[in-house]
Amino acid sequence: ILGKAQEDMKFIFKVISDLAKEIEGEEYTRFQRAFSPGCQELVEALTFYHFLRFGELAPPPVLMGMVKSVIGDGVGSFYICLEDYLLGVCDLTGELMRLCINNAAQGNNDVCYSILDFVKAIYVGFQSIQHRRGIHEIGKKLDVMEQSLKKVEYACCEIMLRGTEYQYPADILQGLNDKPSEYES
């Protein structure tokens, strides 16, 4: 997965380089709203990549370091503003939820529990800024983040219940999600 992600990021960094050239010498905030959704997606992608590699949330300086390491001096006046960083991290929780569900289906239970802890920590951190003025989309994004957290909690709860209900070793339980129940046929 990481190899494919690195390959895909080359294209993303090319777009960022082109954007940096386009806004060079201009007032950054004048055009920021035009490319803000793209910056949020960049933050989501880079923080997800960083999480997969290191198991932690990358702060803005680390993300800019990643961008600068590829683009170099071509980054110009481009930077990731705090609003785009926060909104991108909100979006990250949706990717983490999908990662958790996929790992639950494959029987990688420990990964699910670590994702649960990580998403909970992000959610708790964001509760302090929920009513913060100036971040236009934060309310909607926090609602979606809460839904993602609930799905991760539900997946982890299901893992725990299956383990206690069947009381079989984890390797036997691993394939249960692949088999249709009698009600699904």
Side-chain angles (χ1 to χ4, degrees), residues 110-143:
D110 291 340
V111 173
C112 297
Y113 295 127
S114 66
I115 291 171
L116 174 62
D117 292 340
F118 189 69
V119 173
K120 269 187 186 178
I122 292 172
Y123 181 74
V124 167
F126 269 87
Q127 290 306 299
S128 64
I129 62 167
Q130 183 174 7
H131 302 290
R132 185 179 173 137
R133 293 178 185 236
I135 302 179
H136 177 66
E137 301 173 45
I138 196 76
K140 289 183 250 176
K141 297 259 185 172
L142 286 174
D143 290 343

Side-chain angles (χ1 to χ4, degrees), residues 7-183:
E7 198 61 37
D8 291 345
M9 282 195 284
K10 288 179 184 177
F11 173 75
I12 294 169
F13 289 135
K14 166 80 170 94
V15 171
I16 296 300
S17 178
D18 293 345
L19 173 65
K21 290 174 190 168
E22 187 77 24
I23 62 172
E24 189 64 38
E26 300 289 337
E27 185 180 333
Y28 187 85
T29 55
R30 180 176 174 201
F31 299 102
Q32 192 265 337
R33 283 187 72 97
F35 56 83
S36 178
C39 283
Q40 293 170 34
E41 290 297 319
L42 174 68
V43 168
E44 179 183 0
L46 294 180
T47 54
F48 186 61
Y49 178 78
H50 188 84
F51 175 80
L52 291 175
R53 287 192 67 201
F54 303 109
E56 62 185 21
L57 181 63
V62 169
L63 299 184
M64 282 307 300
M66 293 169 77
V67 172
K68 287 180 181 178
S69 71
V70 175
I71 298 175
D73 293 333
V75 76
S77 61
F78 175 81
Y79 66 93
I80 298 169
C81 71
L82 180 60
E83 180 177 342
D84 290 339
Y85 176 76
L86 293 173
L87 295 173
V89 170
C90 285
D91 293 338
L92 167 68
T93 60
E95 289 303 319
L96 292 171
M97 178 268 302
R98 283 182 275 287
L99 180 65
C100 175
I101 301 303
N102 288 335
N103 276 281
Q106 296 170 7
N108 301 326
N109 299 346
D110 291 340
V111 173
C112 297
Y113 295 127
S114 66
I115 291 171
L116 174 62
D117 292 340
F118 189 69
V119 173
K120 269 187 186 178
I122 292 172
Y123 181 74
V124 167
F126 269 87
Q127 290 306 299
S128 64
I129 62 167
Q130 183 174 7
H131 302 290
R132 185 179 173 137
R133 293 178 185 236
I135 302 179
H136 177 66
E137 301 173 45
I138 196 76
K140 289 183 250 176
K141 297 259 185 172
L142 286 174
D143 290 343
V144 174
M145 181 191 298
E146 185 176 13
Q147 291 171 1
S148 294
L149 174 59
K150 286 179 181 179
K151 289 176 184 176
V152 172
E153 287 174 333
Y154 181 78
C156 290
C157 183
E158 284 290 315
I159 291 167
M160 291 179 80
L161 288 174
R162 282 209 174 135
T164 59
E165 185 176 273
Y166 295 110
Q167 298 195 5
Y168 292 121
D171 59 328
I172 293 174
L173 296 174
Q174 186 172 2
L176 284 179
N177 287 339
D178 300 334
K179 299 175 186 169
S181 71
E182 61 185 77
Y183 302 108

